[in-house]
Amino acid sequence: RVAIFDVGAFAEMSKRGRDETATRKAKDKKKGKATEVEIDNGEWDEDSDHEHDARLLNPRLPSSQPPHISGAASSSAPSLMRDLFKDREFSGLTLKPDHASCPLWVCPDGRIFLETFSPIYKQAYDFAIAISEPVARPSLIHEYRITDVSLYAAVSIGMSTDSIIRALNRFSKVPVSKTVEDWVRQCTQNYGKVKLVLLQNRFFLESFYPEILQSLLRDSTIQTAHIRPPPETEVDPRTGLIVSRTQATALLAGMSGRAASGLDEEEEDAWSSTKQVHSFELSPSHIEAVKRRCIELDYPALEEYDCRADTSIPDLPMALKPTTTVRPYQHKALAKMFSSNRARSGIIVLPCGAGKSLVGISAACTVRKSVLCLCTSGVSVEQWKHQFRTWSDIAEKDISLFTSDNKEKFSGLSGITITTYTMVAFGGKRSAESEKIMQEITGREWGLLLLDEVHVVPAHMFRKVLERVKAHCKLGLTATLVREDARIGDLNFLIGPKLYEANWLDLQREGYLASVQCAEVWCPMTPEFYSEYLTTQSPGVKKLLYVMNPIKFRCCEFLMRYHEDRGDKIIVFSDNVFALKTYAELLHRPYIYGPTSGTERIRILSQFQHNAAVKTIFISKVGDTSIDIPEATVIIQISSHYGSRRQEAQRLGRILRPKPRVDDQYNAFFYSLVSKDTQEMYYSSKRQQFLVDQGYSFKVISQLGGMDEGGGLHFSSKKQRLDLLRQVLNAGEEAGQNEELQDDTDDITNGIGRRRAPKPGALPRRPTSIRALTGADDMVYSEFRKGSSSSSSGGGGIFQRHQKQHPLFKKRSGK
């Protein structure tokens, strides 16, 4: 018998367990009773245990009493175990006779633990990642969790219900709980019975089961999206649904039976004999709500595209070049997408630098229809065009760019358009040229919609893209399927299920990723800066003080010199624009941030890549994603977006491109500079959470050896530090804010509370406090005049009266 413990819960619960035991003993002693250990010889209540496990997997089930724990143990021991670990106490699990050859622990609550040192680890990993969501993947033990969405994804890539249950029993060290088996059957039995299709720019919900569509139409959300069929449409008089025979035959021919839909043989025969598909039309503006509601009703809508049989969209002549090599994990990801000879909509997750672009291009070459590729910036648009030309034989005339600088159109009937999310989602007034291109983008049916950095799609503005663009198949690519606003789950109905996810450490061990040493460098605050940090009430000034900490500046400069002498290429990241400019200008290095034009960005990046004299560049958060700089080997982070896990992983990804190794040592370095004893230390630990779950470890460096030797670093004297402090305090609250980009993926407020630029002639507003207004922060009242047109007798000052007044107050003022 074995027990699987949740170590995180132990520290929290152990003290309470000891206190309860002591209290019970004290009561027994007071009553004159001896404390005895009683043996519970009761029988295991299977029904109660089954119901309890089912409640863990499905919270919607009614609650009941926890299962009775039996065995040769005291009643107090199981009680204590239940108190300590609550629903995660599995001491009743029994090992199978062949457990040594099995790599999985399958728990009754749907959690899976995988031993990476097992001889059949790779096969078990492919299975675990297909049916469950990864929780943590350190070097020896992985943790996963089976969810309804992960099971939908498993069936969507061709796994049947029986094959999932058989594989669970084959790989598990312990007998699989009946509750888990029932949960698998419940979540997979309805998948594939409803399909969302796009025909002639109109959306239809289809099924061979009219009773299912009728039950869905009774839902208020789906009923609102329903569009009545035109009078000339063939409609079943009994159900009121559209009936089509030819579409049913084509759909049935394209399906791979149980592998695609999870149907058993009896259901498949019923489909074949009926050969009629029932459907009803949906409003394009309600597609997102309908897909979400279908998942909630346990009828997730299948989205597959039979690109080979589709003759309504002209084919695009393109293929991979003979010199292009697809890596094994890339081939595996593509196989998940096209396993039933049809293109499935979904998401592929690969680490930064692992070749997501090649996966997207290979998918486009397989579909061979018009492709719309969406990126996050103009620089990534240029890079995607370069990747298409590098890996495929697509003609130059068949690629068009749609950005603020380039407004092109491909020449043929089909082609590839590469643009940004902002260009498509923009709702304001456009130029005549842009408006014409947008009409063509929204007016045609696209074979494939490629969404780079798909984690940005749930943002309020970017999700509008999916309403405006009509595409038969959608493929999302990302390295970090994580957001700080808890909207990452929306991708399940916005795009589709996760088709494949690679393990970072596995690719590193196989040489497909660089071996990175991650370090957190603690930088003590100088007395002058720390005194101001403790006394100031302004959050912006606090942030600016620990970002502009002179010791942090010196550490950054020392690391830059050290790695530049080694011949490394260095990227210094800073979310704070004031710090970015100050660091870069004092150290005489080029920098890129929001207002930097696209042409200037490309010039700086090109110099960094090809000019040996340019070894270091400074970049704000605009460089977090979609910038391909394979030459970079060192990242130094001086300022970040609070506790963003996604940002930390994306920045690490800038140096993950494979690089030559020397004696199996680290060939890339990631430094996060943190001001000691400040709020930045808390944010730093939160940012590292995602990378730690991927198996990376951070080395803490409390002192950089040799930094004080040799001299030549900035801010070595007290006068220089005081001058810097004066400059920081004069910059004020505004300078302490992070750079704000449109629809920031880490903005959990979704733009609420953002400062807007004041209108012309209006007084600027900035947050302050009563303490500051009373002069405690050295704020003083200063008079000013608005210009020569101001009245000389008007008095001036910040309370100067405006010339234009509301008619209601003109009489009182005498004007």
Side-chain angles (χ1 to χ4, degrees):
R1 292 182 180 273
V2 297
I4 301 177
F5 298 146
D6 186 340
V7 180
F10 185 83
E12 177 184 352
M13 302 296 300
S14 58
K15 182 178 183 300
R16 194 180 76 180
R18 290 195 301 269
D19 292 344
E20 290 177 355
T21 303
T23 303
R24 186 173 63 253
K25 288 182 178 180
K27 290 182 178 179
D28 292 342
K29 185 176 181 181
K30 186 176 180 180
K31 294 178 180 179
K33 297 180 180 179
T35 302
E36 298 178 355
V37 177
E38 299 178 359
I39 304 299
D40 183 3
N41 294 321
E43 296 297 329
W44 186 280
D45 187 350
E46 292 185 359
D47 294 336
S48 176
D49 178 50
H50 175 72
E51 184 180 357
H52 175 65
D53 292 343
R55 197 176 70 258
L56 297 181
L57 286 168
N58 190 351
R60 291 176 291 182
L61 294 178
S63 60
S64 62
Q65 294 297 323
H68 182 71
I69 298 179
S70 64
S74 67
S75 60
S76 61
S79 175
L80 179 61
M81 296 292 285
R82 285 195 297 267
D83 287 343
L84 289 176
F85 304 106
K86 296 183 179 179
D87 294 335
R88 297 186 178 184
E89 192 272 306
F90 305 124
S91 60
L93 298 179
T94 305
L95 287 171
K96 296 193 301 187
D98 61 341
H99 66 87
S101 61
C102 302
L104 295 184
W105 299 83
V106 181
C107 303
D109 65 347
R111 289 191 301 166
I112 296 177
F113 294 88
L114 170 61
E115 297 175 349
T116 63
F117 45 84
S118 171
I120 57 173
Y121 159 70
K122 288 189 176 180
Q123 294 86 342
Y125 172 80
D126 289 341
F127 171 72
I129 201 66
I131 69 163
S132 57
E133 297 289 344
V135 177
R137 291 179 288 183
S139 58
L140 297 179
I141 300 290
H142 293 182
E143 181 182 354
Y144 303 86
R145 177 175 289 279
I146 301 176
T147 65
D148 52 356
V149 174
S150 67
L151 289 172
Y152 295 153
V155 177
S156 73
I157 61 175
M159 300 183 69
S160 66
T161 303
D162 292 338
S163 66
I164 294 174
I165 295 176
R166 282 197 304 268
L168 280 173
N169 283 285
R170 164 64 184 88
F171 287 122
S172 178
K173 289 177 175 291
V174 296
V176 178
S177 169
K178 185 176 183 298
T179 306
V180 173
E181 293 186 0
D182 292 344
W183 173 251
V184 172
R185 290 190 176 94
Q186 176 185 344
C187 292
T188 57
Q189 65 182 354
N190 292 331
Y191 194 90
K193 293 186 177 180
V194 177
K195 183 182 178 186
L196 181 68
V197 298
L198 175 65
L199 293 174
Q200 299 178 355
N201 251 347
R202 298 161 65 190
F203 287 98
F204 294 87
L205 206 60
E206 292 185 346
S207 177
F208 285 95
Y209 298 89
E211 63 275 9
I212 293 179
L213 294 183
Q214 287 179 305
S215 66
L216 292 177
L217 274 174
R218 284 192 286 270
D219 183 80
S220 58
T221 301
I222 300 177
Q223 196 174 38
T224 303
H226 180 212
I227 296 179
R228 300 290 179 183
E232 65 275 9
T233 306
E234 181 183 355
V235 177
D236 187 342
R238 296 172 302 172
T239 62
L241 300 172
I242 302 173
V243 179
S244 172
R245 297 179 182 273
T246 57
Q247 180 66 17
T249 305
L251 178 62
L252 190 62
M255 296 186 64
S256 60
R258 293 190 306 273
S261 63
L263 302 176
D264 55 31
E265 293 181 359
E266 182 180 351
E267 289 175 320
E268 188 178 354
D269 292 340
W271 281 41
S272 302
S273 60
T274 304
K275 293 186 179 179
Q276 278 190 343
V277 60
H278 295 75
S279 63
F280 59 85
E281 188 177 355
L282 297 171
S283 169
S285 60
H286 292 81
I287 294 300
E288 176 185 328
V290 170
K291 291 168 66 177
R292 183 206 296 262
R293 189 59 183 153
C294 285
I295 291 178
E296 294 172 351
L297 296 174
D298 292 331
Y299 283 101
L302 177 67
E303 290 186 83
E304 290 186 338
Y305 176 42
D306 192 357
C307 50
R308 303 291 174 83
D310 185 11
T311 58
S312 62
I313 302 178
D315 288 343
L316 177 62
M318 67 177 298
L320 293 177
K321 291 181 178 179
T323 56
T324 301
T325 302
V326 179
R327 296 170 179 171
Y329 62 89
Q330 295 170 327
H331 178 77
K332 192 177 297 184
L334 291 166
K336 301 289 186 182
M337 181 179 179
F338 297 97
S339 61
S340 63
N341 296 322
R342 301 164 72 94
R344 294 190 178 93
S345 295
I347 299 169
I348 293 176
V349 184
L350 295 177
C352 302
K356 295 187 295 295
S357 301
L358 181 55
V359 172
I361 294 169
S362 300
C365 293
T366 305
V367 174
R368 294 174 63 86
K369 302 291 183 181
S370 295
V371 179
L372 179 63
C373 181
L374 297 177
C375 312
T376 56
S377 66
V379 173
S380 60
V381 168
E382 296 286 347
Q383 291 178 346
W384 267 95
K385 178 181 179 180
H386 175 72
Q387 296 284 347
F388 268 105
R389 297 285 293 142
T390 301
W391 302 116
S392 72
D393 59 2
I394 185 75
E396 179 78 24
K397 62 181 180 62
D398 291 331
I399 300 180
S400 63
L401 306 183
F402 180 41
T403 64
S404 57
D405 299 327
N406 299 286
K407 296 176 178 61
E408 304 168 353
K409 178 185 175 183
F410 51 79
S411 57
L413 296 177
S414 60
I416 298 173
T417 296
I418 309 174
T419 181
T420 64
Y421 291 97
T422 306
M423 289 295 293
V424 178
F426 179 70
K429 186 176 181 180
R430 301 175 183 266
S431 64
E433 188 178 11
S434 295
E435 187 64 32
K436 184 178 180 180
I437 296 177
M438 270 304 301
Q439 289 177 359
E440 294 180 356
I441 290 176
T442 57
R444 79 160 53 229
E445 289 185 15
W446 298 90
L448 177 64
L449 177 61
L450 270 178
L451 300 112
D452 190 25
E453 308 296 348
V454 71
H455 57 264
V456 308
V457 171
H460 178 69
M461 178 178 181
F462 292 158
R463 66 200 304 160
K464 298 177 183 177
V465 171
L466 301 178
E467 297 179 7
R468 299 182 179 182
V469 176
K470 309 297 190 303
H472 288 274
C473 179
K474 299 184 286 291
L475 175 60
L477 302 171
T478 185
T480 52
L481 201 59
V482 61
R483 288 176 61 93
E484 301 304 326
D485 59 2
R487 288 186 178 181
I488 200 67
D490 293 357
L491 291 175
N492 292 313
F493 56 83
L494 290 173
I495 307 298
K498 182 181 63 179
L499 302 175
Y500 181 76
E501 181 173 0
N503 185 23
W504 294 49
L505 289 190
D506 286 348
L507 299 189
Q508 178 179 300
R509 282 191 289 264
E510 295 168 5
Y512 295 119
L513 296 179
S515 180
V516 183
Q517 169 69 73
C518 300
E520 180 178 290
V521 183
W522 289 359
C523 308
M525 293 276 281
T526 62
E528 305 86 7
F529 272 71
Y530 198 54
S531 176
E532 289 292 338
Y533 174 82
L534 294 175
T535 56
T536 184
Q537 301 299 313
S538 168
V541 174
K542 277 183 178 288
K543 180 177 178 62
L544 197 59
L545 285 167
Y546 63 66
V547 171
M548 294 300 299
N549 176 15
I551 303 299
K552 179 185 284 193
F553 190 102
R554 289 166 60 84
C555 289
C556 177
E557 186 178 7
F558 174 78
L559 291 172
M560 283 174 49
R561 291 185 181 183
Y562 173 78
H563 283 285
E564 285 180 346
D565 292 342
R566 282 169 37 104
D568 294 323
K569 292 278 189 174
I570 308 164
I571 301 176
V572 182
F573 277 106
S574 174
D575 272 34
N576 185 273
V577 175
F578 179 85
L580 179 81
K581 293 182 177 180
T582 304
Y583 275 64
E585 290 170 358
L586 286 176
L587 297 173
H588 306 289
R589 301 296 194 277
Y591 61 89
I592 298 173
Y593 72 119
T596 306
S597 65
T599 304
E600 181 67 10
R601 294 184 190 186
I602 294 175
R603 186 191 68 80
I604 294 175
L605 293 175
S606 178
Q607 288 288 317
F608 180 72
Q609 291 176 331
H610 305 110
N611 190 345
V614 181
K615 297 182 178 180
T616 303
I617 59 173
F618 284 74
I619 304 182
S620 71
K621 65 165 59 176
V622 298
D624 288 351
T625 59
S626 301
I627 291 186
D628 185 17
I629 315 176
E631 292 77 14
T633 55
V634 179
I635 294 291
I636 302 176
Q637 182 175 249
I638 59 176
S639 171
S640 60
H641 190 96
Y642 303 104
S644 172
R645 298 164 295 165
R646 178 206 60 81
Q647 186 184 65
E648 193 91 347
Q650 291 285 358
R651 288 180 172 177
L652 175 70
R654 301 311 103 197
I655 55 175
L656 280 182
R657 295 283 184 184
K659 301 169 179 64
R661 300 190 181 188
V662 180
D663 299 330
D664 293 331
Q665 296 297 315
Y666 295 106
N667 50 16
F669 301 88
F670 180 86
Y671 299 99
S672 181
L673 307 187
V674 181
S675 290
K676 196 175 178 181
D677 299 325
T678 65
Q679 195 175 24
E680 192 175 24
M681 297 190 73
Y682 163 74
Y683 292 138
S684 178
S685 62
K686 188 175 185 300
R687 285 199 308 269
Q688 297 167 9
Q689 199 171 50
F690 178 82
L691 292 178
V692 170
D693 287 342
Q694 306 309 312
Y696 287 91
S697 59
F698 278 77
K699 178 181 179 182
V700 176
I701 301 176
S702 59
Q703 186 175 2
L704 291 173
M707 189 177 74
D708 297 329
E709 300 174 4
L713 300 178
H714 285 76
F715 306 114
S716 56
S717 68
K718 185 175 182 179
K719 182 179 181 303
Q720 291 176 330
R721 295 193 293 268
L722 289 174
D723 289 341
L724 178 63
L725 177 61
R726 189 176 299 109
Q727 182 181 356
V728 169
L729 295 177
N730 288 337
E733 171 80 16
E734 291 289 337
Q737 303 301 319
N738 286 339
E739 182 181 28
E740 292 183 353
L741 301 180
Q742 193 172 30
D743 281 275
D744 188 358
T745 59
D746 288 313
D747 181 14
I748 62 175
T749 64
N750 196 27
I752 299 174
R754 286 185 183 175
R755 294 187 186 86
R756 299 180 179 178
K759 296 180 180 179
L763 293 174
R765 297 175 180 268
R766 64 176 58 183
T768 185
S769 63
I770 297 297
R771 170 189 170 94
L773 292 175
T774 56
D777 288 345
D778 296 330
M779 181 180 289
V780 297
Y781 172 85
S782 59
E783 293 191 354
F784 67 94
R785 296 190 180 276
K786 297 181 65 176
S788 58
S789 61
S790 300
S791 173
S792 57
S793 59
I798 62 171
F799 301 108
Q800 181 179 6
R801 191 190 308 274
H802 291 282
Q803 296 299 320
K804 293 183 179 180
Q805 290 186 321
H806 192 278
L808 187 64
F809 299 98
K810 285 185 178 181
K811 184 176 181 180
R812 176 177 296 183
S813 62
K815 295 185 180 181

